[in-house]
Amino acid sequence: MDIDKLREELKEDEGCKYEIYLDHLGLPTFGIGHLVTEWDEEYEKEVGTKVSEERVNNCFIADIHGTIKDCKILYSNFNELPEEVQLILGNMMFNLGRPRLSKFVKFRKAINNNDWQEAKIQMLDSKWAKQVPNRANRLSERMGSV
């Protein structure tokens, strides 16, 4: 999978901020959707605290490796899937996380059956699609074109 391509997609979807801000759930975040955890040096720092480009890049690299690892856990055949499907799954995993994406049971079944049209339908039949409609519509259209 082309990590640079996934990075650009996620940068577009998540945005990229070189300071701590509150995400849509009110949680401290910086960079490309990096949720601040107690293990981060930014933990408990003020909203608006500047974060270096190097730090943002390092966190993104760690986050994307975790995302791909989670994709491989959820989809044992991840490496054999078409690259476009890998990119879509990577984007969804980054956004949702494994616990929430694992609840897309019919979607997972469609992916495992290489049924891209059914996967497209299942992507849109979700709470996620209502929360991030532009992203969901764009990714589902791409899925339907595989």
Side-chain angles (χ1 to χ4, degrees), residues 48-117:
T49 299
K50 299 296 180 200
V51 180
S52 73
E53 184 175 355
E54 180 182 12
R55 176 76 175 136
V56 165
N57 290 337
N58 289 339
C59 287
F60 178 77
I61 290 167
D63 291 345
I64 203 64
H65 284 295
T67 295
I68 292 168
K69 180 181 174 188
D70 283 347
C71 284
K72 290 177 180 179
I73 290 169
L74 202 55
Y75 300 95
S76 59
N77 65 336
F78 183 76
N79 288 336
E80 286 76 48
L81 294 171
E83 183 176 36
E84 183 69 357
V85 174
Q86 291 178 15
L87 289 167
I88 293 165
L89 292 175
N91 190 308
M92 292 177 73
M93 184 69 75
F94 192 91
N95 184 228
L96 291 161
R98 186 164 36 109
R100 286 188 286 164
L101 188 55
S102 68
K103 293 177 183 172
F104 286 54
V105 177
K106 292 178 183 176
F107 173 74
R108 281 181 59 199
K109 182 178 179 186
I111 294 294
N112 289 330
N113 291 331
N114 296 334
D115 186 346
W116 317 128
Q117 292 304 315

Side-chain angles (χ1 to χ4, degrees), residues 34-61:
H34 178 78
L35 183 65
V36 177
T37 68
E38 62 184 285
W39 299 281
D40 285 317
E41 61 192 62
E42 296 80 9
Y43 188 66
E44 294 188 333
K45 290 198 176 169
E46 300 273 325
V47 168
T49 299
K50 299 296 180 200
V51 180
S52 73
E53 184 175 355
E54 180 182 12
R55 176 76 175 136
V56 165
N57 290 337
N58 289 339
C59 287
F60 178 77
I61 290 167

